[in-house]
Amino acid sequence: MKSSTEERRDSSYRRKRKSRKNTCTITTSATVVPPQKKELLPRSKEQLSSFINPTSKRLKTVCNSDIAPQHAFGVDERDHCETPLDAYKDIVQILDFVAKSLGKKRCSLRIYDPYFCNGGVKDKLKSLGFLEVINENKDFYHDIKHRSIPDHDIIVTNPPYSGKHIETLLRFSASNTKPFLLLLPHFVYTKQYYGSSLLKQASKVFFLVPSKRYSYAPPSWVSSSTGSTALAKGKFQTAPFPSFWYCRAPFISNSWLSKFI
């Protein structure tokens, strides 16, 4: 028979365990910045050093094929870079929180990435337990025009940085009712098109800033003469701009975010 002291200790342990089970935490490898604290975000590469430590580590190119896919849309080879696994690891807890809010599990959350590069996003998210990932070699803008966007729970994407891809994505994300996690350059929130594209949604966007600068690996079929300038310098990966996640998830309250600031 347990003593009253042992019973109190066991009861306290059960309460703590239950509390931990019901708590979703942000990975400690990234810093959360809520919308009302946007002034804390760095506006220059120099200021960004307090958030992100650049890395010179070289990684081998990760690709599914040495043959370039025939993309169903116009492309700029300089845009062809696969998102690193570490970037997806940083958003796992947010994705889990969204899934839980929808009454789903990680494996059934429908994630939509409208920009196809080399197909690596499916493999990386699958390795983290996310099995319902939509990333097809289709023309995203054609699908918007013809209202044929696939059914999804959340948008997770790293769009091409050239042209007006970022602006178009922001406008679509503002009109779309689903949560989004967009991996964009650090300067995007300072641009005039950011507020005008998102309209009233801009005040609802929070930011997830990695502790280390993300680097992106061009597929092996990208030419060193027409692709990323890093390839011409003999590097296996590129990081032309520091980048972090721009996030909108109505299920996540400011009070929940404040726990991780």
Side-chain angles (χ1 to χ4, degrees), residues 69-89:
Q70 295 297 315
H71 288 91
F73 47 91
V75 298
D76 184 331
E77 280 208 8
R78 292 171 295 180
D79 287 327
H80 287 315
C81 290
E82 290 274 304
T83 304
L85 180 61
D86 284 347
Y88 294 121
K89 287 181 177 179

Side-chain angles (χ1 to χ4, degrees), residues 145-180:
K145 182 178 180 180
H146 294 275
R147 298 183 179 181
S148 55
I149 297 296
D151 195 18
H152 58 281
D153 297 316
I154 186 170
I155 294 177
V156 177
T157 190
N158 172 29
Y161 291 173
S162 65
K164 293 189 176 182
H165 293 295
I166 293 177
E167 296 176 55
T168 305
L169 174 63
L170 288 173
R171 286 196 298 272
F172 170 78
S173 300
S175 63
N176 191 30
T177 58
K178 303 300 175 67
F180 62 71

